[in-house]
Every structure is written in structure tokens, then in C-alpha cells.
Amino acid sequence: MARIVQVGGGIVGLCTGMLLAKDGHEVTVLERDSAPPPSPEAAWHEWGRTGVNQFRMLHYLAPGFTRIMDAELPEIPAALSANGALHANIVEEIPDDIKGGAREGDDLFHTTTARRPVAEAVISAAASATPGLTIRRGVVVSGLLVSNDGVVPHVVGVRTETGEEIRGDLVIDAGGRRSALPSWLEAAGARPLVEEKEDCGFVYYGRHFSSRDGSLPFAFSGPLYAFGSASVLTLPADNGTWGVGLIVSAKDAELRGLRHLDRWTATMKSLPLHAHWIDGDPLDDDIAVMAKIEDRHRSLVADGQPVVTGLLMVGDSWACTNPSLGRGISIGAIHALALRDYLRGAPSDDPAAFVKGWEDATAVSAEPWYRTTLEFDRHRLAEIESLMNGEPYEPDDVGYEMTRALMYAVSKDGDCLRAFVRVAGVLDPPEVVLADPAVADKVVTLGADWRNEEIAGPTRSELVALAAG
């Protein structure tokens, strides 16, 4: 078994460390933020995670995450439940005349979710109690320790900001969206990694609320609802709390006024299906704004050969996308589980094959989720731009047509509903769900009229006026 040095101790990093430690590896997690996790009850108000810019934005632990945790790290859902996390099953909550009654297998859509600070505090406590896993907080990694005996640099550990050298058999970068890996590789004399990077194109305006009796607002739509050139996100959470967000294009200057509390509130009140979501007690004094979030994908293999050996990436340090679909932590869990499984049989005597093998395992496990999320985002941004220009959005893309048709058919058939929730819940990607001919035929038939769907919300001109105040 390996001595593993892991950079990054967010939710995905902690789950990765737990999975590997439980498999017999000796794992040291280095987390740059020094503040220790408080109790889950105090986490929302007391914990500042400066290294995670989306820490206080809306989060959701999807069924895909819960399925992995239930099977591999059951202490996490148990601890979440003990600290007031919400147990939800979106299919169970839908009326029988839409879902066609209860079915065997509907428990697949169960999830246990919480606000990010609460969830991370719970998971941190579980990780700290895991034998073989050491978490060191306040340790800032400044570079890589490498051996240059081979064709490419081989990583043998990391150097911290204080000059400490921490060595291991394998280094894992779980440093998230802010991973500094490219600069570390450059300083180590390695070729640049292969990187795709662009602004995801969205701006997020969010606020959290709570009820005094522990109840949650009734959902008249799915969690993410598009109304013309904006979308609203409503996510129930732990202990009678929930988050509400408005999502618009970063290019849409006319809607930047949504950062003001009064204009954000007025816009929410204009949404007939969602206005009641802001009737609770606010947990935030103002609107939390998140912008300049990157869609980014990295590979350590260039022209068929690794740029470095002895190091692997997992989670957002490898690839990250628009967070409004709530997939990031679930995709990270899929990736972490794939890493655990890969290390069980990976070639230990060939460092280059080891890195390339992980690239192949990533391509099978997590890559499809990254690509389908990126494709959906690009279509949504293009649609918003068309609507801003007063034009219909009509791309020549069968995949887009099927996705929108599936979203429309959700309310018309139980099979389409479950197919959609499998995708939205990060259980199966669209290409798997739509590979079933029976489902695909229903989507084509029942979703054909999706362009004529009535939208419950303000027109473009009304939305602009609301944002202008």
C-alpha cells in the first residue's frame, strides 16, 4: 500500500482521502485554510473557508453522491442525518398521476443534503476519525519535489510555504478550482499540462432562508427553472433551511442590478411558481454574488505521453463546470471512487503507464459528466444570447433537441420523469438514459411541443425593468 500526499481537503478531497485510507493506504491531506471546522450547528455563521469561493453559495448533494456514500462511506450519510440534513426523494414527492405510482427502484432517487458549510463540517469530523488518514490544516503547498532521473519529472512529494518537505509514493492534487498545479509543473521543469479553459459565462445571485417550524417551501417546479434569459434555482437543505438563486449570463449587463437586494427580491416576487421561496427568515444580510467561474479541463498526458509522473488529479482540480446544475460534488465522488478502484490494480512498475491508465479510467468514469454538462451550458448561454437579441434559439443539434424534449416530457410520463431525474441526479448520463429505445420514443413523442411550453415568469422587458429598479 502507498504513502499518499494529497493536496486539498474540501468535500471531494476528504471523501477521496477516506476512500483511500479505508483501502489501506497511508494518506496525509494538506489543506491550506487554517480555520478548523466548527460544529455543524455553528458552521454556517462561524466558518470562513477563504480557499473555496463558492462556500456560501447554493449547494446540493445529489442522489449520485448519496448512492456512493451509502455504499462506500455510510458514516457520512449517517452523520449528516444526525445533524439535521434533509432526506429527499424527488420522485416520491411527485403526484401519482404524473409518476404513474410508486415503482420498485424509486429509492435510487433518494438523497441526503445540506448547506455546504454544514455538510463539510460533518464530513470533516468523519474524515478526522478515519484510521490511516491525517488532515493537516493551514499547510500551504508551494511546489513539487521531483526526481529528474527519467524522461519526465517524477513527483516524490511536495514542498510547503514554510520550506517543509513532505514525501510520499504518490501525490494527489485535490486542490479544487484554485489548484496551482500548472505553476508547480512549470517550476519543476515539466512540460505544460493540456488545459481547456474559459469563463463558464454565468453569474449567480443567491440567498439562504430558514423557517421557524422546520418546514420547507413546496416545489411547484424542478430545482432549476429557466424563465427566458434567466433561471431560478431553489434548493432545500438541512434543518429547515434552503437556498434561492438567480442565474444570468455574465454578458447581460442589463441584469447586473440583481446584485442589489431590493431588485433581487422584486424579481423573485414576480415568479408565480417561486415567489413563496423567499417568505422565510433570511440567513444572509445581502445577496451573495459569484462570477468569473471557469469551465476548465486538465490532462497530464500530452501527445500520448505524461508531462509528469507520480502525480494524479481528482475532482475540480481535474475538471470543473458551472455549479448551477449541482453536479460538482457528485462528479467528484464518482472520480474519487474510480481512483480508489484504479489504485487497486494500477501498474506500479511503470510510472508513465500509471498516469496514462488514470487518464483512461477518468475518461470512462467522470469525463462523460463533464462533457455533457459543458454542452448543456453552452447551449443555455447561446439560448440566452438569442433571447437578449429577440431571436428564437434553433441550433441544428439532435442532442439538444432530445434534452429539451426530455425536460418537457417530465410532467407527462413516469418513464420520462425517472429518466430525467437519473440525469439530473447524476446517476446516469443522458446518452445512457436515452439509449433505451422505449424512453427515447416517448421523449420524441411527448416532448415534441417543448418550444410552445408556457413559461411562468416575467418577459424580457419586464425582467430588465425589475433589475433596473
Side-chain angles (χ1 to χ4, degrees):
M1 294 299 174
R3 289 181 302 117
I4 296 175
V5 178
Q6 179 181 297
V7 181
I11 287 181
V12 171
L14 292 170
C15 291
T16 300
M18 292 177 71
L19 286 168
L20 298 181
K22 283 175 172 286
D23 227 34
H25 301 286
E26 179 186 329
V27 184
T28 300
V29 171
L30 307 176
E31 168 53 49
R32 66 175 297 133
D33 283 355
S34 59
S39 68
E41 296 83 2
W44 179 258
H45 295 289
E46 296 182 8
W47 197 11
R49 287 279 273 117
T50 57
V52 182
N53 62 343
Q54 71 272 28
F55 192 60
R56 296 183 68 82
M57 296 301 291
L58 280 66
H59 274 77
Y60 185 67
L61 302 177
F65 176 82
T66 298
R67 178 171 64 174
I68 292 173
M69 295 301 105
D70 283 344
E72 305 292 343
L73 299 173
E75 62 268 46
I76 287 179
L80 285 169
S81 297
N83 286 279
L86 173 69
H87 294 275
N89 187 314
I90 191 170
V91 171
E92 287 183 357
E93 295 168 2
I94 291 173
D96 284 347
D97 59 345
I98 294 177
K99 70 184 179 187
R103 297 183 188 177
E104 183 178 356
D106 280 354
D107 58 344
L108 180 69
F109 306 116
H110 163 77
T111 195
T112 303
T113 189
R115 290 165 293 169
R116 170 66 184 261
V118 175
E120 189 166 330
V122 168
I123 294 171
S124 294
S128 296
T130 302
L133 176 59
T134 301
I135 303 170
R136 295 180 57 186
R137 297 186 180 273
V139 178
V140 180
V141 173
S142 60
L144 303 172
L145 301 176
V146 299
S147 166
N148 289 305
D149 297 337
V151 177
V152 300
H154 181 75
V155 177
V156 297
V158 300
R159 180 180 293 104
T160 73
E161 207 173 50
T162 63
E164 181 184 4
E165 295 185 351
I166 305 173
R167 295 177 179 267
D169 304 312
L170 173 65
V171 171
I172 295 174
D173 179 19
R177 290 178 177 271
R178 295 183 174 180
S179 163
L181 183 57
S183 62
W184 296 343
L185 293 175
E186 181 182 8
R191 289 186 298 156
L193 48 69
V194 179
E195 185 173 67
E196 307 167 13
K197 182 169 64 174
E198 61 187 77
D199 192 308
C200 82
F202 294 100
V203 180
Y204 312 84
Y205 303 97
R207 203 176 192 203
H208 285 81
F209 298 85
S210 69
S211 65
R212 298 180 182 180
D213 60 1
S215 62
L216 294 168
F218 184 81
F220 291 106
S221 75
L224 183 63
Y225 183 85
F227 58 100
S229 55
S231 300
V232 58
L233 183 64
T234 49
L235 294 179
D238 59 282
N239 297 291
T241 66
W242 62 91
V244 181
L246 292 172
I247 306 165
V248 303
S249 169
K251 296 180 180 180
D252 197 343
E254 293 182 299
L255 298 186
R256 289 175 187 165
L258 293 174
R259 68 184 184 276
H260 298 293
L261 178 58
D262 58 338
R263 303 178 199 179
W264 185 92
T265 301
T267 301
M268 282 302 307
K269 288 182 177 179
S270 75
L271 301 174
L273 302 182
H274 304 89
H276 63 292
W277 281 84
I278 65 170
D279 287 343
D281 295 327
L283 298 180
D284 314 284
D285 293 332
D286 212 335
I287 303 301
V289 181
M290 185 168 63
K292 297 183 179 180
I293 297 296
E294 291 177 340
D295 285 329
R296 192 195 65 222
H297 180 281
R298 292 172 173 170
S299 171
L300 292 174
V301 177
D303 301 321
Q305 295 299 321
V307 302
V308 70
T309 57
L311 181 145
L312 303 177
M313 300 177 291
V314 69
D316 278 355
S317 62
W318 156 71
C320 50
T321 61
N322 158 31
S324 68
L325 297 181
R327 293 175 175 175
I329 291 175
S330 298
I331 296 174
I334 291 170
H335 206 201
L337 182 60
L339 177 60
R340 192 279 310 270
D341 293 345
Y342 176 69
L343 293 183
R344 288 177 172 177
S348 58
D349 56 348
D350 187 337
F354 180 83
V355 173
K356 291 191 286 185
W358 176 233
E359 292 280 320
D360 293 340
T362 293
V364 173
S365 59
E367 184 89 16
W369 283 108
Y370 170 78
R371 295 297 170 188
T372 192
T373 303
L374 192 63
E375 182 180 16
F376 182 88
D377 287 348
R378 286 174 173 169
H379 275 298
R380 176 59 178 149
L381 285 169
E383 178 186 38
I384 289 174
E385 190 165 343
S386 292
L387 293 171
M388 288 166 59
N389 295 327
E391 302 169 354
Y393 181 58
E394 297 180 348
D396 185 15
D397 186 330
V398 174
Y400 171 76
E401 291 284 336
M402 288 295 287
T403 298
R404 292 301 301 268
L406 175 59
M407 294 168 70
Y408 181 68
V410 162
S411 62
K412 301 178 181 299
D413 176 77
D415 291 333
C416 293
L417 166 67
R418 289 169 174 83
F420 175 77
V421 178
R422 282 165 61 191
V423 176
V426 200
L427 295 165
D428 290 301
E431 58 267 27
V432 172
V433 168
L434 295 174
D436 182 340
V439 172
D441 288 347
K442 283 188 174 184
V443 170
V444 170
T445 302
L446 299 175
D449 201 33
W450 67 265
R451 281 188 173 81
N452 296 321
E453 181 180 14
E454 184 176 348
I455 302 299
T459 64
R460 171 67 188 178
S461 60
E462 291 170 339
L463 179 60
V464 169
L466 287 165

